[in-house]
Amino acid sequence: VWKLPVFVKNGAIIPMTQPNNNVSEIDPSLRIYEFYPNRHTATVEYDDDGVTEAYRQEKSVSTLIESNVDAKNRVTITIHPTAGSFDGFVKDKKTELRINVSAQPKKLTAKVGGKSVKLTAVSSLEDFEKGTNVYFYNAAPNLNRFSTPGTEMAKVVIKKNPQLLVKLGKADVVEQGVEVVVNGFEFAPENRLAVSR
Protein backbone atom coordinates (compact mmCIF):
# COMPACT_ATOMS: atom_id res chain seq x y z
CA VAL A 1 0.00 0.00 0.00
CA TRP A 2 3.01 2.31 0.41
CA LYS A 3 3.91 1.71 -3.25
CA LEU A 4 0.57 1.33 -5.01
CA PRO A 5 -2.25 3.78 -4.36
CA VAL A 6 -5.67 2.38 -3.60
CA PHE A 7 -8.47 4.69 -4.66
CA VAL A 8 -11.81 4.44 -2.86
CA LYS A 9 -14.82 6.36 -4.09
CA ASN A 10 -16.43 8.62 -1.49
CA GLY A 11 -19.65 6.88 -0.42
CA ALA A 12 -18.22 3.38 -0.90
CA ILE A 13 -19.53 0.43 1.11
CA ILE A 14 -17.04 -2.43 1.10
CA PRO A 15 -17.82 -5.95 2.38
CA MET A 16 -14.69 -7.34 4.04
CA THR A 17 -13.33 -10.26 6.04
CA GLN A 18 -10.54 -10.81 8.53
CA PRO A 19 -7.06 -11.35 7.02
CA ASN A 20 -6.62 -14.91 5.78
CA ASN A 21 -4.41 -17.03 3.56
CA ASN A 22 -7.17 -19.39 2.45
CA VAL A 23 -10.95 -19.10 2.18
CA SER A 24 -11.29 -21.99 4.65
CA GLU A 25 -9.91 -19.62 7.33
CA ILE A 26 -12.78 -17.16 6.91
CA ASP A 27 -15.14 -17.04 9.91
CA PRO A 28 -18.66 -17.56 8.46
CA SER A 29 -20.22 -16.19 11.66
CA LEU A 30 -18.68 -12.71 11.20
CA ARG A 31 -19.55 -10.07 8.62
CA ILE A 32 -17.53 -6.87 8.24
CA TYR A 33 -18.35 -3.74 6.26
CA GLU A 34 -16.20 -0.65 5.73
CA PHE A 35 -17.97 2.64 5.01
CA TYR A 36 -16.89 5.95 3.49
CA PRO A 37 -20.20 7.75 4.13
CA ASN A 38 -21.28 10.42 1.64
CA ARG A 39 -24.91 11.33 0.92
CA HIS A 40 -26.98 8.21 0.18
CA THR A 41 -25.28 5.10 -1.16
CA ALA A 42 -26.25 1.44 -1.27
CA THR A 43 -24.84 -1.89 -2.33
CA VAL A 44 -25.96 -5.49 -2.37
CA GLU A 45 -23.63 -8.11 -0.90
CA TYR A 46 -23.85 -11.53 -2.59
CA ASP A 47 -22.63 -14.82 -1.16
CA ASP A 48 -22.84 -18.52 -1.99
CA ASP A 49 -21.05 -21.68 -0.87
CA GLY A 50 -17.99 -20.75 -2.95
CA VAL A 51 -17.39 -24.36 -3.94
CA THR A 52 -20.24 -25.89 -5.92
CA GLU A 53 -22.45 -24.67 -8.75
CA ALA A 54 -25.53 -24.66 -6.50
CA TYR A 55 -25.80 -20.91 -7.15
CA ARG A 56 -27.25 -21.85 -10.54
CA GLN A 57 -30.27 -23.17 -8.64
CA GLU A 58 -30.45 -19.84 -6.77
CA LYS A 59 -28.81 -21.27 -3.64
CA SER A 60 -27.24 -18.01 -2.58
CA VAL A 61 -27.88 -15.04 -0.30
CA SER A 62 -27.98 -11.29 -0.79
CA THR A 63 -27.99 -8.41 1.68
CA LEU A 64 -28.92 -4.80 0.94
CA ILE A 65 -26.69 -2.31 2.79
CA GLU A 66 -27.37 1.45 2.84
CA SER A 67 -25.54 4.47 4.18
CA ASN A 68 -27.13 7.90 4.40
CA VAL A 69 -25.63 11.21 5.55
CA ASP A 70 -28.27 13.85 6.26
CA ALA A 71 -28.08 17.66 6.50
CA LYS A 72 -27.44 17.42 10.27
CA ASN A 73 -24.24 15.39 9.77
CA ARG A 74 -25.92 12.24 10.98
CA VAL A 75 -25.03 8.93 9.34
CA THR A 76 -27.61 6.16 9.30
CA ILE A 77 -26.28 2.76 8.31
CA THR A 78 -28.93 0.15 7.55
CA ILE A 79 -28.17 -3.51 6.93
CA HIS A 80 -31.40 -5.11 5.76
CA PRO A 81 -32.28 -8.73 6.57
CA THR A 82 -30.46 -11.22 4.36
CA ALA A 83 -32.55 -13.00 1.70
CA GLY A 84 -31.97 -16.54 0.46
CA SER A 85 -29.99 -19.53 1.70
CA PHE A 86 -27.44 -22.14 0.65
CA ASP A 87 -25.97 -25.31 2.18
CA GLY A 88 -23.57 -24.28 4.92
CA PHE A 89 -24.93 -20.75 5.28
CA VAL A 90 -24.52 -19.50 8.86
CA LYS A 91 -27.37 -17.15 9.72
CA ASP A 92 -26.26 -16.23 13.26
CA LYS A 93 -23.55 -13.65 12.68
CA LYS A 94 -21.65 -10.92 14.50
CA THR A 95 -21.58 -7.62 12.60
CA GLU A 96 -18.55 -5.32 12.53
CA LEU A 97 -18.62 -1.84 10.99
CA ARG A 98 -15.57 0.25 10.09
CA ILE A 99 -16.73 3.82 9.50
CA ASN A 100 -14.17 6.26 8.14
CA VAL A 101 -14.25 9.62 9.94
CA SER A 102 -12.08 12.68 10.54
CA ALA A 103 -13.11 13.32 14.15
CA GLN A 104 -14.70 11.46 17.02
CA PRO A 105 -18.49 11.48 16.61
CA LYS A 106 -20.74 12.90 19.33
CA LYS A 107 -23.14 10.00 19.80
CA LEU A 108 -23.76 6.48 18.57
CA THR A 109 -26.89 4.32 18.72
CA ALA A 110 -27.69 0.84 17.42
CA LYS A 111 -30.74 -1.33 16.83
CA VAL A 112 -30.88 -5.01 15.93
CA GLY A 113 -34.23 -6.32 14.81
CA GLY A 114 -35.79 -2.97 15.75
CA LYS A 115 -34.64 -3.27 19.39
CA SER A 116 -32.09 -0.88 20.90
CA VAL A 117 -28.71 -2.35 21.73
CA LYS A 118 -26.55 -0.77 24.43
CA LEU A 119 -23.09 -0.08 23.03
CA THR A 120 -20.10 0.27 25.36
CA ALA A 121 -17.14 2.49 24.48
CA VAL A 122 -13.76 0.76 24.84
CA SER A 123 -10.38 2.46 25.02
CA SER A 124 -8.19 0.11 22.98
CA LEU A 125 -8.23 -1.96 19.82
CA GLU A 126 -7.47 -5.04 21.94
CA ASP A 127 -10.58 -4.45 24.07
CA PHE A 128 -12.61 -3.91 20.90
CA GLU A 129 -11.46 -7.21 19.41
CA LYS A 130 -12.39 -9.08 22.62
CA GLY A 131 -15.72 -7.31 23.17
CA THR A 132 -19.30 -7.61 21.99
CA ASN A 133 -21.71 -4.68 21.51
CA VAL A 134 -18.77 -2.29 21.75
CA TYR A 135 -17.33 0.63 19.81
CA PHE A 136 -13.88 2.17 19.55
CA TYR A 137 -12.64 5.42 18.04
CA ASN A 138 -9.35 4.48 16.40
CA ALA A 139 -7.62 7.85 15.98
CA ALA A 140 -4.69 6.57 13.90
CA PRO A 141 -5.16 3.15 12.25
CA ASN A 142 -1.88 1.61 11.05
CA LEU A 143 -2.14 0.26 7.50
CA ASN A 144 1.21 -1.52 7.83
CA ARG A 145 -0.04 -4.57 9.77
CA PHE A 146 1.22 -7.37 7.54
CA SER A 147 4.96 -6.76 7.14
CA THR A 148 7.23 -9.62 8.21
CA PRO A 149 8.02 -9.19 11.92
CA GLY A 150 11.61 -8.17 12.60
CA THR A 151 12.17 -6.51 9.21
CA GLU A 152 12.85 -2.82 8.60
CA MET A 153 9.48 -2.49 6.88
CA ALA A 154 7.71 -3.76 10.01
CA LYS A 155 9.02 -0.70 11.86
CA VAL A 156 7.26 1.66 9.45
CA VAL A 157 3.96 3.06 10.68
CA ILE A 158 1.50 4.12 7.97
CA LYS A 159 -1.32 6.06 9.60
CA LYS A 160 -4.59 6.69 7.83
CA ASN A 161 -7.66 8.74 8.73
CA PRO A 162 -9.47 7.78 11.95
CA GLN A 163 -12.13 5.09 12.02
CA LEU A 164 -15.11 4.44 14.22
CA LEU A 165 -15.27 0.70 14.85
CA VAL A 166 -18.54 -0.91 15.94
CA LYS A 167 -19.07 -4.58 16.83
CA LEU A 168 -22.52 -6.07 17.41
CA GLY A 169 -23.21 -9.48 18.94
CA LYS A 170 -24.54 -12.49 17.07
CA ALA A 171 -28.01 -12.17 15.58
CA ASP A 172 -30.09 -14.03 13.01
CA VAL A 173 -29.32 -11.95 9.90
CA VAL A 174 -32.25 -13.47 7.99
CA GLU A 175 -34.76 -12.34 10.60
CA GLN A 176 -33.13 -9.17 11.93
CA GLY A 177 -31.87 -6.02 10.26
CA VAL A 178 -29.29 -3.70 11.79
CA GLU A 179 -29.37 0.08 12.09
CA VAL A 180 -26.51 2.20 13.43
CA VAL A 181 -26.83 5.97 13.72
CA VAL A 182 -23.75 8.19 14.13
CA ASN A 183 -24.38 11.77 15.25
CA GLY A 184 -21.75 14.45 14.65
CA PHE A 185 -20.20 12.71 11.65
CA GLU A 186 -17.22 14.35 9.95
CA PHE A 187 -15.12 13.00 7.12
CA ALA A 188 -12.62 15.01 5.12
CA PRO A 189 -11.28 12.66 2.42
CA GLU A 190 -8.46 15.07 1.61
CA ASN A 191 -6.56 13.76 4.68
CA ARG A 192 -3.32 12.10 3.55
CA LEU A 193 -1.40 9.12 4.85
CA ALA A 194 1.29 9.85 7.42
CA VAL A 195 4.38 7.61 7.27
CA SER A 196 6.88 7.39 10.11
CA ARG A 197 9.60 5.04 11.41
Side-chain angles (χ1 to χ4, degrees), residues 1-6 142-146 153 158 193 195:
V1 79
W2 53 93
K3 293 179 181 176
L4 297 173
V6 176
N142 182 10
L143 288 179
N144 189 21
R145 298 177 291 146
F146 305 111
M153 195 62 220
I158 304 173
L193 297 178
V195 181

Side-chain angles (χ1 to χ4, degrees), residues 116-183:
S116 293
V117 173
K118 183 182 178 190
L119 294 175
T120 303
V122 294
S123 56
S124 72
L125 192 54
E126 184 179 70
D127 289 340
F128 175 80
E129 289 169 355
K130 289 184 205 170
T132 300
N133 294 330
V134 293
Y135 69 94
F136 174 59
Y137 174 70
N138 191 352
N142 182 10
L143 288 179
N144 189 21
R145 298 177 291 146
F146 305 111
S147 292
T148 305
T151 64
E152 280 301 307
M153 195 62 220
K155 298 175 188 173
V156 176
V157 175
I158 304 173
K159 295 179 190 173
K160 70 175 289 253
N161 61 273
Q163 286 186 320
L164 176 64
L165 306 177
V166 182
K167 189 192 301 177
L168 300 168
K170 278 189 180 179
D172 182 335
V173 299
V174 173
E175 297 292 327
Q176 300 174 312
V178 169
E179 181 184 86
V180 173
V181 178
V182 180
N183 287 284

Side-chain angles (χ1 to χ4, degrees), residues 12-34:
I13 301 169
I14 307 171
M16 303 186 73
T17 187
Q18 295 288 28
N20 63 84
N21 291 314
N22 185 294
V23 292
S24 66
E25 298 173 2
I26 295 172
D27 180 355
S29 68
L30 172 66
R31 58 186 186 171
I32 304 170
Y33 304 106
E34 184 162 353

Side-chain angles (χ1 to χ4, degrees), residues 72-75 101 103-107 182-186:
K72 295 181 180 179
N73 290 330
R74 179 175 50 211
V75 176
V101 295
Q104 188 162 2
K106 294 180 176 127
K107 185 179 175 187
V182 180
N183 287 284
F185 167 75
E186 290 180 42

